[in-house]
Amino acid sequence: MVPHLITALTGPINELEQRVLDSMPAIERWFRLEWMEHTPPFYSSVDIRNAGFKLAPVDTNLYPGGWNNLTPEMLPLAVQSAMAAIEKICPEAKNLLVIPENHTRNTFYLSNLAQLKRIFHMAGLNVRIGSISPEIKEPTTIDLPGGGTVLLEPVVRTKRRLGLKDFDPCTILLNNDLSSGIPGILEDIHEQYLLPPLHAGWSVRRKSNHFKSYEEVSKRFGKLLGIDPWLINPMFNMCGEVNFAEGTGMECLTTNVDALLTKIRKKYKEYGINEKPFVVVKADNGTYGMGIMTVRDVKDLDELNRKTKNKMSVIKDGQQVHQVIIQEGVLTNERINDAVAEPVVYMMDRYVVGGFYRVHADRGVDENLNAPGAHFVPLAFAESTRLPQPGEKPGASAPNRFYMYGVIGRLAMLAASYELEATDPDAETYD
């Protein structure tokens, strides 16, 4: 299913698609050379917004859940990519331990774990799921919504290794984004591979660092294609001294929101875009669609009600918000059955393996769709393994559209690899 773009402004996006298709050999070579220099994140997912006049990533997740939303047709690609990823890190790997989030009662999340287990099992590994939640004191079997079960077992820590009773893994895969900090049980593991590294978690990671890296990547990619990088890059500002609960730091927020709205207006004028600019204010760390608000006018900030302030002041695991990123809002002009939709691209190692549309019937084109009430429609990414179809009119072909989404997803993944290199505590630094 290819959502329809409900906009007269398909011109710029079709030109971009045409440019991307015409440049495919150069693009693939460019990525190949980049991956020779930089290590891709082990796995990732990227939320993309297609405004009809620009196409940009708005969030990059390095501990993606939602693998259960991939269709069976996508699994062979995921399995091959898992094989490639493991082979690079630990070719002799036999046992893999998956460490999940602690919210053990969310059955949709547990279905995601079952899918990850399936993928790595088919990639030739013995896979078990080891929980670090204090709730899991003994092996616990939980029924899944679509049938089947998932077994959570308590993790056992020895001096230098992490495992389960009678299970010693050489590789540990984190599917826990460490929002509430790095648990001591995961530190000082020297004899096993821990993927992704601890500094990829939200206790260290900042969205502003990621989008700074993405800005650099988009400039270089824009130069390769001869396009304005703004067409694929959401501009941003940041504010590191805000406290919504106490109402302090609001001047910093107001100044930065105003400055960014002015920059967006200028760009809209340059491209003849008649939309109303907006920005999205987000917690600089954190996920799950929490700590996010849309601001269409700087005056809105003077009138924040208590409910909005409460919503903005705390994110997942009760973490307080003190730093925010102010991101250029990118409209989504895609629809599935009249409901607003945005593509989410899933990657493992350096490969696009699939994705889906996040669809929300009760949200507007300028609102966050990662909210209760969202549902998921699989992308026809399986088709895109046939690769783009040159000669098709831009915007008419699913594989062409999805190839373009895959390129944007990989640019965000490359930015994440730059970001992780810059924040690696073990990296050698040279004065």
Side-chain angles (χ1 to χ4, degrees):
M1 177 184 279
V2 189
H4 53 288
L5 273 171
I6 54 132
T7 171
L9 284 163
T10 47
I13 219 70
N14 284 348
E15 285 165 31
L16 180 63
E17 184 179 308
Q18 193 62 60
R19 187 70 61 96
V20 165
L21 292 171
D22 291 346
S23 310
M24 196 175 89
I27 289 170
E28 295 305 325
R29 177 176 182 273
W30 185 82
F31 274 122
R32 199 163 59 240
L33 295 176
E34 286 291 331
W35 297 130
M36 286 169 73
E37 300 289 326
H38 305 281
T39 305
F42 186 79
Y43 56 1
S44 54
S45 69
V46 177
D47 297 356
I48 294 172
R49 308 271 287 205
N50 187 346
F53 54 84
K54 83 179 281 176
L55 178 73
V58 292
D59 209 10
T60 301
N61 189 350
L62 300 183
Y63 298 88
W67 290 91
N68 50 311
N69 294 314
L70 300 191
T71 59
E73 293 79 10
M74 296 174 189
L75 285 188
L77 210 49
V79 170
Q80 281 182 317
S81 303
M83 285 175 173
I86 290 289
E87 206 171 285
K88 270 198 319 204
I89 292 148
C90 179
E92 67 280 6
K94 189 169 76 170
N95 295 339
L96 176 77
L97 178 66
V98 178
I99 296 192
E101 295 280 357
N102 286 353
H103 43 70
T104 51
R105 299 292 164 238
N106 182 333
T107 52
F108 291 105
Y109 174 73
L110 295 173
S111 300
N112 147 74
L113 293 179
Q115 181 84 301
L116 272 176
K117 183 176 178 181
R118 195 175 296 124
I119 289 167
F120 285 101
H121 176 73
M122 289 194 284
L125 293 161
N126 302 314
V127 187
R128 307 255 288 264
I129 300 168
S131 177
I132 56 175
S133 168
E135 282 182 38
I136 303 293
K137 296 183 171 68
E138 58 187 1
T140 304
T141 301
I142 301 173
D143 293 327
L144 298 175
T149 60
V150 68
L151 175 66
L152 301 179
E153 301 177 72
V155 158
V156 177
R157 174 73 199 244
T158 59
K159 192 176 177 191
R160 297 175 75 83
R161 294 181 79 83
L162 202 59
L164 304 173
K165 188 173 181 283
D166 305 323
F167 185 75
D168 185 31
C170 79
T171 307
I172 297 158
L173 179 64
L174 283 181
N175 197 243
N176 179 322
D177 65 23
L178 309 177
S179 284
S180 53
I182 297 170
I185 196 167
L186 297 180
E187 294 184 307
D188 300 318
I189 294 171
H190 299 294
E191 297 176 348
Q192 292 164 304
Y193 295 95
L194 188 62
L195 306 166
L198 293 176
H199 67 280
W202 285 122
S203 49
V204 175
R205 195 171 173 234
R206 295 291 175 269
K207 291 177 184 173
S208 48
N209 288 339
H210 175 73
F211 282 100
K212 200 172 167 188
S213 295
Y214 184 80
E215 189 173 35
E216 186 188 330
V217 166
S218 64
K219 279 178 183 167
R220 295 181 47 228
F221 187 76
K223 201 171 173 185
L224 175 78
L225 257 61
I227 59 165
D228 178 355
W230 177 75
L231 294 172
I232 56 168
N233 177 39
M235 299 185 289
F236 74 95
N237 279 344
M238 55 181 295
C239 185
E241 51 194 70
V242 68
N243 186 322
F244 288 97
E246 293 172 12
T248 56
M250 297 306 282
E251 325 71 49
C252 167
L253 188 60
T254 302
T255 307
N256 281 290
V257 165
D258 194 32
L260 190 54
L261 282 170
T262 303
K263 278 170 82 173
I264 301 167
R265 274 187 213 103
K266 200 174 160 192
K267 274 292 183 187
Y268 279 17
K269 194 175 174 190
E270 182 187 332
Y271 281 91
I273 294 160
N274 295 319
E275 301 286 351
K276 186 173 172 58
F278 67 101
V279 299
V280 179
V281 178
K282 307 180 188 182
D284 203 13
N285 61 330
T287 181
Y288 281 80
M290 299 173 81
I292 296 180
M293 67 176 174
T294 299
V295 181
R296 299 169 186 87
D297 192 306
V298 81
K299 291 200 291 287
D300 298 349
L301 294 173
D302 299 330
E303 296 154 19
L304 289 186
N305 59 30
R306 182 178 294 174
K307 188 181 171 191
T308 305
K309 284 180 177 174
N310 289 344
K311 188 185 86 164
M312 288 302 296
S313 61
V314 177
I315 51 169
K316 186 178 166 226
D317 295 341
Q319 297 298 300
Q320 294 289 322
V321 174
H322 297 297
Q323 277 180 292
V324 292
I325 178 172
I326 301 138
Q327 193 176 59
E328 174 189 352
V330 182
L331 294 166
T332 177
N333 268 321
E334 294 193 273
R335 292 284 183 284
I336 290 181
N337 301 331
D338 295 330
V340 176
E342 67 184 9
V344 186
V345 174
Y346 272 61
M347 290 161 291
M348 195 172 291
D349 193 54
R350 59 199 176 113
Y351 306 103
V352 173
V353 298
F356 50 81
Y357 277 96
R358 183 184 285 121
V359 182
H360 206 304
D362 301 324
R363 290 286 170 121
V365 293
D366 60 356
E367 292 183 299
N368 167 42
L369 304 189
N370 187 4
H375 69 280
F376 306 102
V377 175
L379 277 175
F381 255 116
E383 292 182 49
S384 72
T385 54
R386 303 202 311 253
L387 288 177
Q389 299 171 333
E392 284 270 2
K393 211 169 71 187
S397 150
N400 286 356
R401 172 93 63 89
F402 299 147
Y403 176 71
M404 189 165 65
Y405 290 163
V407 167
I408 298 294
R410 284 184 290 165
L411 290 174
M413 173 170 55
L414 179 59
S417 66
Y418 284 25
E419 172 200 355
L420 291 179
E421 283 166 18
T423 55
D424 184 354
D426 300 324
E428 292 181 30
T429 52
Y430 301 95
D431 293 331

